[in-house]
Amino acid sequence: MLIRFSLFAHLLLLCFLAIPESLSAQSLGPLEGKLLDVPQQIYYSFPGFSARAGGAAGSQVTMRTYYLNEFRGYVFYENEESFDADGRLSDPDRVKELTAMDFEAAVAELDFSTRATENLRLGATIRLYSYFGGFLDPWIEGFHGAFDLANASRERFPQNQTSISIKNKLGVEIELEGAALLLGDIALYGNYLLYADRDRAIALAAAAELPSGGQGTPAGNGYLDIGVDLLYEQSLGDRFVLHLQQGVVIPGETFVAGSRERPLPMSQSLVGLEWRVADSTSLLVQSRIYTSPLRSEEELLHDLFGAADQFELPVTSLQFGIKQRRSSWGWQLYFEEDALTHEGPDFILSAGVTHHF
């Protein structure tokens, strides 16, 4: 993590040398993207809307892609297990029983939004998930070993698996075994600009996610989720912008009497700092903190937080990225990792292209 941060810091230093005298265009941030963490991803998550988007003219279409690697095993004790010559669990049934999630995934996302009134933007988002064993497990294990980083018992499991089995006491089923191509839920959203001047903007976003994804899979929960999000943007001088967002998402199961699934409402927070390198280019660093909708009786042994519930800790993702817009086209690229609670994927790399018309 420190190595990645050092590389990003050197990039910022190089960009500093090229900063213009003054900037006139509005901010480009924050970074936008879906929270791709099991179990949170089966529910709606606010992507990081711009607080000024509600007042922006015209329509836009965005295509985003994500690539991620994720591993989490349930607690086991080595003196009670059998291992092969490579030191990995040798019993396939135990491997399956002890795997919470182990996969790589590529996700394609299509988003369309348009200005409905002077201060209101309406839009819709759909995703396609592809799960497979991938190829990065040996590289990640090798990287962690080279820098003496914890592998979270990854080295004890067979490499390049595709398996998800979320054990929880709230009745939510999320299972996957083997490669799969899954259609996700369809999200409908609105972003209303409440106030804006040269230095700040305040907006309110609301969303409803339709259950088009398969229930019991990592692509959806089978219910209509709803959420609201307060967005705030504040200029800090000529070149820096602070982005603050606080939302809550309520899973649809909450509104169904007698449902055996009882996930918890989720708090979703974003804190971001945008460095406006030029009128058309911004570098961004931001943190996203999302509480978990589940609880489990499975133990989690965490380096920082000790013994905890397997799904008790929030996702605390840190994102580094760049956004640029020229004329009617824009793009963004970001890297994401959860280095604090490790509840998020091992990494996410995302790229997106937007056309304004």
Side-chain angles (χ1 to χ4, degrees), residues 38-69:
V38 179
Q40 280 91 340
Q41 75 177 37
I42 69 172
Y43 307 104
Y44 181 76
S45 64
F46 287 98
F49 293 127
S50 167
R52 297 184 183 272
S59 302
Q60 66 181 47
V61 60
T62 299
M63 171 66 79
R64 297 190 188 96
T65 60
Y66 309 81
Y67 195 90
L68 60 147
N69 178 288

Coordinates of all heavy atoms in Angstrom, one line a residue, residues 38-69:
V38 N -18.8 -7.9 -2.1 CA -19.8 -8.8 -1.6 C -19.7 -8.8 0.0 O -18.7 -8.9 0.5 CB -19.6 -10.2 -2.1 CG1 -20.6 -11.2 -1.6 CG2 -19.6 -10.2 -3.6
P39 N -20.9 -8.5 0.7 CA -22.2 -8.6 0.3 C -22.9 -7.2 -0.1 O -24.0 -7.2 -0.6 CB -22.9 -9.1 1.5 CG -22.2 -8.5 2.6 CD -20.7 -8.5 2.2
Q40 N -22.2 -6.1 0.1 CA -22.8 -4.8 -0.2 C -23.4 -4.6 -1.6 O -24.4 -4.0 -1.8 CB -21.9 -3.7 0.2 CG -21.8 -3.3 1.6 CD -20.7 -4.1 2.3 OE1 -20.2 -5.1 1.8 NE2 -20.2 -3.6 3.5
Q41 N -22.7 -5.2 -2.6 CA -23.0 -4.9 -4.0 C -24.3 -5.5 -4.4 O -24.8 -5.0 -5.5 CB -21.9 -5.5 -4.9 CG -21.9 -7.0 -5.1 CD -20.9 -7.4 -6.1 OE1 -19.8 -6.9 -6.1 NE2 -21.2 -8.4 -6.9
I42 N -25.0 -6.4 -3.7 CA -26.3 -6.8 -4.1 C -27.4 -5.8 -3.8 O -28.5 -5.9 -4.3 CB -26.7 -8.2 -3.5 CG1 -26.9 -8.0 -2.0 CG2 -25.6 -9.2 -3.8 CD1 -27.5 -9.3 -1.3
Y43 N -27.0 -4.7 -3.1 CA -27.9 -3.6 -2.8 C -27.4 -2.4 -3.6 O -26.3 -2.3 -4.1 CB -27.9 -3.3 -1.3 CG -28.3 -4.6 -0.5 CD1 -27.3 -5.2 0.2 CD2 -29.6 -5.1 -0.5 CE1 -27.6 -6.4 0.9 CE2 -29.8 -6.2 0.3 CZ -28.8 -6.9 1.0 OH -29.1 -8.0 1.7
Y44 N -28.3 -1.3 -3.6 CA -27.9 -0.1 -4.3 C -26.7 0.6 -3.5 O -26.7 0.6 -2.3 CB -29.0 0.8 -4.5 CG -28.7 2.1 -5.2 CD1 -28.5 2.1 -6.6 CD2 -28.4 3.3 -4.5 CE1 -28.1 3.2 -7.3 CE2 -28.0 4.4 -5.2 CZ -27.9 4.4 -6.6 OH -27.5 5.5 -7.3
S45 N -25.8 1.2 -4.3 CA -24.8 2.0 -3.7 C -24.7 3.3 -4.5 O -24.6 3.3 -5.7 CB -23.5 1.3 -3.6 OG -22.9 1.0 -4.8
F46 N -24.7 4.5 -3.8 CA -24.5 5.7 -4.5 C -23.1 5.8 -5.1 O -22.1 5.5 -4.3 CB -24.8 6.9 -3.6 CG -26.2 7.1 -3.3 CD1 -26.8 6.6 -2.1 CD2 -27.0 7.7 -4.2 CE1 -28.1 6.7 -1.8 CE2 -28.4 7.9 -3.9 CZ -28.9 7.4 -2.7
P47 N -22.9 6.2 -6.3 CA -21.6 6.0 -7.0 C -20.7 7.2 -6.8 O -19.5 7.1 -7.2 CB -22.0 6.0 -8.5 CG -23.3 6.8 -8.6 CD -24.0 6.5 -7.3
G48 N -21.1 8.3 -6.2 CA -20.3 9.5 -6.1 C -20.8 10.5 -7.1 O -19.9 11.0 -7.9
F49 N -22.0 10.9 -7.1 CA -22.6 11.9 -8.0 C -21.9 13.2 -7.8 O -21.6 13.6 -6.6 CB -24.1 12.0 -7.8 CG -24.9 10.9 -8.3 CD1 -25.8 10.3 -7.4 CD2 -24.8 10.3 -9.5 CE1 -26.6 9.2 -7.7 CE2 -25.5 9.2 -9.9 CZ -26.4 8.7 -9.0
S50 N -21.8 14.0 -8.8 CA -21.4 15.4 -8.7 C -22.5 16.2 -8.0 O -23.7 16.1 -8.5 CB -21.0 16.0 -10.0 OG -20.8 17.4 -9.9
A51 N -22.2 17.1 -7.1 CA -23.2 17.9 -6.5 C -23.8 18.9 -7.5 O -24.9 19.4 -7.3 CB -22.6 18.6 -5.3
R52 N -23.0 19.2 -8.5 CA -23.5 20.2 -9.5 C -24.2 19.5 -10.7 O -24.6 20.2 -11.7 CB -22.3 21.0 -10.0 CG -21.7 21.9 -9.0 CD -20.6 22.7 -9.5 NE -19.9 23.5 -8.5 CZ -20.3 24.7 -8.0 NH1 -21.4 25.2 -8.6 NH2 -19.6 25.3 -7.1
A53 N -24.3 18.2 -10.8 CA -24.8 17.5 -11.9 C -26.3 17.9 -12.2 O -26.7 17.9 -13.4 CB -24.7 16.0 -11.8
G54 N -27.1 18.1 -11.2 CA -28.5 18.5 -11.4 C -28.7 19.7 -12.2 O -29.7 19.8 -12.9
G55 N -27.7 20.6 -12.2 CA -27.9 21.9 -13.0 C -27.2 21.8 -14.3 O -27.2 22.8 -15.0
A56 N -26.5 20.7 -14.6 CA -25.8 20.6 -15.9 C -26.8 20.4 -17.1 O -27.7 19.6 -17.0 CB -24.8 19.5 -15.8
A57 N -26.5 21.1 -18.2 CA -27.4 21.0 -19.3 C -27.1 19.7 -20.1 O -26.1 19.1 -20.0 CB -27.1 22.2 -20.2
G58 N -28.2 19.3 -20.9 CA -28.0 18.2 -21.8 C -28.1 16.9 -21.2 O -28.5 16.7 -20.1
S59 N -27.7 15.9 -22.0 CA -27.7 14.5 -21.6 C -26.3 13.9 -21.7 O -25.4 14.5 -22.3 CB -28.7 13.7 -22.6 OG -30.0 14.2 -22.5
Q60 N -26.1 12.7 -21.1 CA -24.9 12.1 -21.2 C -25.0 10.6 -21.1 O -25.9 10.1 -20.4 CB -23.9 12.6 -20.1 CG -24.3 12.2 -18.7 CD -23.3 12.8 -17.7 OE1 -22.9 13.9 -17.7 NE2 -22.9 11.9 -16.7
V61 N -24.1 9.9 -21.7 CA -24.1 8.4 -21.6 C -22.7 8.0 -21.2 O -21.7 8.6 -21.7 CB -24.5 7.7 -23.0 CG1 -23.5 8.1 -24.1 CG2 -24.5 6.2 -22.8
T62 N -22.6 7.1 -20.3 CA -21.3 6.7 -19.7 C -21.1 5.2 -19.8 O -22.1 4.4 -19.4 CB -21.1 7.2 -18.2 OG1 -21.2 8.6 -18.2 CG2 -19.8 6.7 -17.7
M63 N -20.0 4.7 -20.2 CA -19.6 3.3 -20.1 C -18.4 3.2 -19.2 O -17.4 3.8 -19.3 CB -19.2 2.8 -21.5 CG -18.6 1.4 -21.5 SD -19.8 0.1 -20.9 CE -20.7 -0.1 -22.5
R64 N -18.6 2.3 -18.1 CA -17.5 2.1 -17.2 C -17.2 0.6 -17.2 O -18.1 -0.3 -17.3 CB -17.9 2.5 -15.8 CG -18.1 4.0 -15.6 CD -18.2 4.4 -14.1 NE -18.6 5.8 -14.0 CZ -19.9 6.2 -13.8 NH1 -20.8 5.3 -13.7 NH2 -20.2 7.5 -13.7
T65 N -16.0 0.3 -16.9 CA -15.5 -1.1 -16.7 C -14.8 -1.2 -15.4 O -14.1 -0.3 -15.0 CB -14.7 -1.6 -17.9 OG1 -13.5 -0.8 -18.0 CG2 -15.4 -1.6 -19.2
Y66 N -14.9 -2.4 -14.8 CA -14.1 -2.6 -13.5 C -13.5 -4.0 -13.6 O -14.0 -4.9 -14.2 CB -15.1 -2.7 -12.3 CG -16.1 -1.5 -12.2 CD1 -17.2 -1.4 -13.0 CD2 -15.8 -0.5 -11.3 CE1 -18.1 -0.4 -12.8 CE2 -16.7 0.6 -11.1 CZ -17.8 0.6 -11.9 OH -18.7 1.6 -11.7
Y67 N -12.3 -4.1 -13.0 CA -11.7 -5.4 -12.9 C -11.2 -5.5 -11.4 O -10.6 -4.6 -10.9 CB -10.5 -5.6 -13.8 CG -10.0 -7.0 -13.9 CD1 -10.5 -7.8 -14.9 CD2 -9.1 -7.6 -13.0 CE1 -10.2 -9.2 -15.0 CE2 -8.8 -8.9 -13.1 CZ -9.3 -9.7 -14.1 OH -8.9 -11.0 -14.2
L68 N -11.6 -6.7 -10.8 CA -11.3 -6.8 -9.4 C -10.9 -8.2 -9.0 O -11.2 -9.2 -9.7 CB -12.4 -6.4 -8.5 CG -13.8 -7.1 -8.7 CD1 -14.5 -7.2 -7.4 CD2 -14.6 -6.4 -9.7
N69 N -10.1 -8.4 -7.9 CA -9.8 -9.6 -7.4 C -10.2 -9.6 -5.9 O -10.0 -8.6 -5.2 CB -8.3 -9.9 -7.5 CG -7.8 -11.2 -6.8 OD1 -7.8 -11.3 -5.6 ND2 -7.4 -12.1 -7.7

